[in-house]
Amino acid sequence: MVLVFAESVNGKFKKAAFEAVTYGYKTAQVVGGECVALVLGPSENAGQLGEYGAAKVLSVADGKLAQFDSQVYAAVIAEVAKQQGAKVVVMSHTSTGKSLLGRLAVRLNAGSVSGVTTVPSVNDGFTVKKGVFSGKAIATYRIKSDVKVLSLMGNECRPEKTGSAVAVEEVSVPVPDGRIKVLEVKRQEGTVPLPEAELVVSAGRGLKGPENWGMIEELAKELGATTACSRPVADAGWRPHHEHVGQTGIAIRPNLYIAIGISGAIQHLAGVNNSKVIVVINKDPEAPFFKAADYGVVGDAFEVVPRLIEAVKKFKAAH
């Protein structure tokens, strides 16, 4: 059986949760058994996870789970996995999943692989693949333990509706007291968080100053995209640090990444080179970023971006 931890925030599921359940369903088809989704804490419409392949949905709604605590969550997930006889445990490769993976592997005496990009194969043992060396190569991992723990890289398994909503079953497991006291939680509101964004518009020092970011925000708004920036921009205080993408910031995998006025240093490329399509706008034809781009525009951002915004508006108006 494959157990999928479906992550939620304020009772609402993230896109990553539907990706993980779809992945769990496909994994169950390969290894045998069924896909079971697990929800911790308050959640809305948990039964909808059945639409993405969960044969049943389990819920532990103890009040101690209202705020995320990796130690408490790992203990509960491990206990449910043992009760259900799960052979594979799946979660999203988010900040939450990253903090849970190692703890779960230890509690379940399991082999683990983080950030997997493929459904497991059992042709030559249990194997999965993931990107290594900042996405420059693909490695194949063979897990030999009885129980396996995996985290799924975002945007690698598109959510697919394969079934219908199912009933939610409350399960009882001991929930330990947490040793961490949460004083305050601040969440980004109004836009899709960068790790989940399918469209990203990013800019760098070529914008010359924070006062010129209006056109970047306007382009992102017209495209329904999330804004991002390079490290020097965040370090200079032009943009908040939660928008910094790159090797030392947030690694993203959107379907479309538009880089404006960013030279493309190797540290930045390491965090964005798994984007499906990269568009680079830069007035320097020798900018390193053009080597990684699927499409490139050599031109001044202050001329190109306003024209691009107008083109997007005309396209939307015509459709």
Side-chain angles (χ1 to χ4, degrees):
M1 185 268 276
V2 177
L3 180 69
V4 179
F5 167 53
E7 188 177 337
S8 63
V9 176
N10 294 330
K12 297 181 179 179
F13 294 108
K14 294 183 173 184
K15 171 193 166 192
F18 302 126
E19 292 178 341
V21 174
T22 297
Y23 180 85
Y25 171 73
K26 292 182 177 181
T27 298
Q29 290 182 310
V30 172
V31 302
E34 61 184 10
C35 170
V36 176
L38 173 63
V39 179
L40 301 186
S43 60
E44 299 177 9
N45 302 320
Q48 69 178 308
L49 297 175
E51 299 177 2
Y52 296 89
K56 61 181 178 179
V57 177
L58 306 179
S59 173
V60 182
D62 192 288
K64 297 176 186 177
L65 301 171
Q67 293 287 355
F68 175 71
D69 181 322
S70 61
Q71 296 176 0
V72 176
Y73 269 50
V76 173
I77 296 171
E79 188 60 34
V80 174
K82 291 175 183 177
Q83 284 187 6
Q84 299 293 319
K87 294 301 182 183
V88 182
V89 180
V90 174
M91 67 207 70
S92 305
H93 192 64
T94 59
S95 57
T96 296
K98 291 174 186 177
S99 64
L100 287 173
L101 186 86
R103 295 182 185 278
L104 278 171
V106 170
R107 286 179 175 274
L108 296 172
N109 194 27
S112 64
V113 179
S114 63
V116 300
T117 58
T118 62
V119 172
S121 170
V122 292
N123 294 330
D124 184 21
F126 185 101
T127 60
V128 290
K129 294 182 179 181
K130 64 173 285 186
V132 293
F133 303 119
S134 298
K136 294 182 177 65
I138 302 295
T140 299
Y141 290 78
R142 181 178 293 106
I143 307 177
K144 298 180 180 179
S145 57
D146 183 46
V147 179
K148 291 87 174 170
V149 180
L150 309 172
S151 65
L152 172 67
M153 187 65 76
N155 282 340
E156 281 297 336
C157 183
R158 185 173 294 276
E160 296 176 9
K161 291 190 176 183
T162 56
S164 57
V166 297
V168 180
E169 177 185 339
E170 293 285 343
V171 292
S172 178
V173 296
V175 180
D177 293 325
R179 292 186 288 173
I180 297 172
K181 183 178 180 181
V182 179
L183 300 179
E184 184 181 13
V185 177
K186 292 184 178 180
R187 298 195 185 279
Q188 181 181 348
E189 302 290 345
T191 58
V192 179
L194 276 169
E196 301 173 36
E198 295 193 9
L199 306 175
V200 175
V201 175
S202 185
R205 285 180 294 185
L207 268 288
K208 299 181 180 179
E211 67 278 3
N212 296 319
W213 233 263
M215 65 180 183
I216 302 301
E217 293 174 332
E218 185 178 1
L219 176 59
K221 180 181 177 181
E222 292 298 328
L223 291 172
T226 299
T227 55
C229 68
S230 61
R231 178 173 180 171
V233 166
D235 287 346
W238 294 4
R239 300 298 292 178
H241 275 283
H242 70 253
E243 290 192 358
H244 165 207
V245 294
Q247 189 172 39
T248 55
I250 299 173
I252 58 175
R253 307 169 69 86
N255 291 327
L256 173 64
Y257 180 70
I258 302 178
I260 302 168
I262 300 175
S263 62
I266 188 64
Q267 292 88 347
H268 185 82
L269 282 172
V272 304
N273 62 359
N274 284 311
S275 305
K276 297 293 191 298
V277 176
I278 296 176
V279 177
V280 172
I281 300 172
N282 200 302
K283 65 180 181 181
D284 178 10
E286 301 301 320
F289 220 150
F290 282 119
K291 295 179 181 179
D294 296 285
Y295 301 95
V297 179
V298 178
D300 190 328
F302 295 97
E303 297 177 4
V304 175
V305 175
R307 294 170 67 179
L308 181 56
I309 292 170
E310 288 303 313
V312 173
K313 287 181 177 178
K314 288 181 180 179
F315 178 82
K316 289 170 65 177
H319 295 78

